[in-house]
Every structure is written in structure tokens, then in C-alpha cells.
Amino acid sequence: MESVRTLHVQDDKDGRVLLAVVAHELRTPISTLANAAAILRDVVGTNQVGVAALQLIERQTRVLTRLVSDLVDTTRIDTGKFSATFELIDVTEVLRWAAHTCKPAMQSRSHNFQALLTDGPLYVMADRDRLTQVFVNLLDNAIKYTPRGGMISVFATAEGAQAVVRVRDSGVGISDDALPCVFELFSQVATTKPMSNGGVGIGLALARSIVNMHKGTIQVRSEGSDTGSEFTVRLPLHSRRF
Ligand code: ADP
């Protein structure tokens, strides 16, 4: 049986407050590092050791930036301060943009990628940035939890009155007993931990909160270890009127 680890800070109010403060305080130094790395890019030229070191700094700074901004968002949800700006948007466009954002990470792990999107637009009322965050989180996980050279697919289609997006990978999969827990805050499946590269179990909890804010649902399916995983996001379609 696969064990699921959940940090107890989830039930500890002081711990959550401390986490929020630390996350908030980390934002400035991390963005300073990111700016410094951007300046170094102009200076380092073609020196191979310099370029490799710079790429490492950039990659890790991106991981830290994501982690901290997810933490900050989580505490905003906790305190009811998580805001969203709803507008009419095309889900397929957001999905394409999310995939584009994740392309370098996919390439760095030699993954294959396919997008099977319905021809026309799928209009929903949504916050563009938040929805992008959901798809990026799902794609990041698919990249992370799939051994090198795997297959990652995204699908977008209309089913009845819903826009349905699926993110599928050929990765390590999730066992039956772990499936119900993956959307819990700070939960990690023990067997996937070595691949998690700094994750702490925030991404899916945040994705679920955002999808719920949009009156949608998010579900996961996996046949078990090494059979890959599929995450499905359903959002109410908007009937566009001019
Ligand atoms: P983390 O930062 O640990 O990736 P998430 O909230 O995004 O946090 O995911 C929670 C846990 O769910 C992960 O630690 C991992 O065990 C499991 N998980 C998420 N996505 C996948 C996936 N595509 N394949 C296998 N396991 C996954």
C-alpha cells in the first residue's frame, strides 16, 4: 500500500500564519535573484561553465518563484482574500499558452507532447491568469512525474454544457489509495517523492480551489503505478451572445 504524506501544518493555525509570512518575505529576494540572473545573461557570453551555472540559477529561481507564489495564493484562499477577474475567454487559447510556457521543461526532460483540441473556441467565464495557473500546474506535474522521454497529451472538447480539458501523461501513475488524497493541501504520495524536485503538495490543492471558484470540477484517474495519470477539468461553457 502506498503511503501518503501530509504535513501537519495543515491543521496548525500558527504554522499556517508563519508559512504565509515566510512566503511573503521570500518574494522580494527571489525576484531580486531573478533580475540579477537576467543581467548576468548579458554578461556571461559563451563561457560554457558560466552558461550552465546561469541556466541552473534560472531553473531553480523559477521553481522557487512558483512555490512561493502558490504558497501565497494558498494563504489568500484560506483567508478569503483570493481574488479573480472573470471575463469571457477561450479555454483552448489558455491551454495553448500554458503548454507553450511548459515547453522548455518538457524539452529538458525529452518528453513528447501532443495537443488534441476541438476546432472552434470553448468560451467560459474565467480568470485568465488563474486558469493558466491550473493548466500549468497540471502540466508541470505531468512533466515531473513522468520518466524522461514520456508522452504528455492535452485534450480540449465540449461535452454537453461543459468545456472539458484533460491532461494525460505516461508517467508513474497514482495508486488507488492515494488517488483521493492528491488534492489535499501538502499531500504527497511517498513513491513519487523522489521525483518531486522541491514540490510540497500545493499545486493540486490550489488547482482545485481555482476550478471550484469557476464552478467547475477537477478529477484524477489512474490505473495505478506506472500506468500514467489523467486529470480532467470541467468548466461551465458560456453561450456567447453578441
Ligand atoms: P507537488 O508539489 O508535490 O507536486 P501537487 O499538489 O501538485 O504537489 O501534487 C500532489 C501529489 O500528487 C504529488 O506529490 C504527487 O505525489 C501526486 N501527483 C500529482 N500529479 C501527478 C502526476 N501527473 N502523476 C503522478 N503523481 C502525481
Side-chain angles (χ1 to χ4, degrees), residues 98-200:
H100 173 76
T101 309
C102 295
K103 212 169 166 192
M106 279 190 220
Q107 284 169 343
S108 77
R109 287 181 59 75
S110 311
H111 287 321
N112 302 294
F113 175 73
Q114 64 171 356
L116 297 169
L117 313 183
T118 187
D119 278 345
L122 294 174
Y123 287 114
V124 297
M125 286 302 285
D127 181 306
R128 184 181 298 276
D129 292 342
R130 300 295 183 204
L131 207 53
T132 308
Q133 204 173 358
V134 170
F135 297 147
V136 168
N137 280 357
L138 294 180
L139 282 165
D140 268 355
N141 280 348
I143 294 165
K144 226 162 43 171
Y145 298 114
T146 299
R148 293 182 71 83
M151 183 75 210
I152 295 173
S153 317
V154 294
F155 306 86
T157 178
E159 287 179 17
Q162 291 177 322
V164 181
V165 169
R166 292 190 170 85
V167 177
R168 187 183 296 164
D169 64 63
S170 62
V172 296
I174 305 171
S175 68
D176 271 357
D177 47 307
L179 277 175
C181 310
V182 293
F183 294 107
E184 301 301 321
L185 191 56
F186 301 124
S187 75
Q188 288 186 306
V189 184
T191 51
T192 54
K193 217 178 126 206
M195 304 185 81
S196 70
N197 187 23
V200 289

Side-chain angles (χ1 to χ4, degrees), residues 2-24:
E2 203 156 41
S3 75
V4 183
R5 187 179 69 111
T6 302
L7 295 184
H8 292 298
V9 71
Q10 185 174 346
D11 307 316
D12 171 358
K13 192 163 172 286
D14 291 343
R16 297 284 280 263
V17 172
L18 178 67
L19 213 54
V21 173
V22 171
H24 201 78

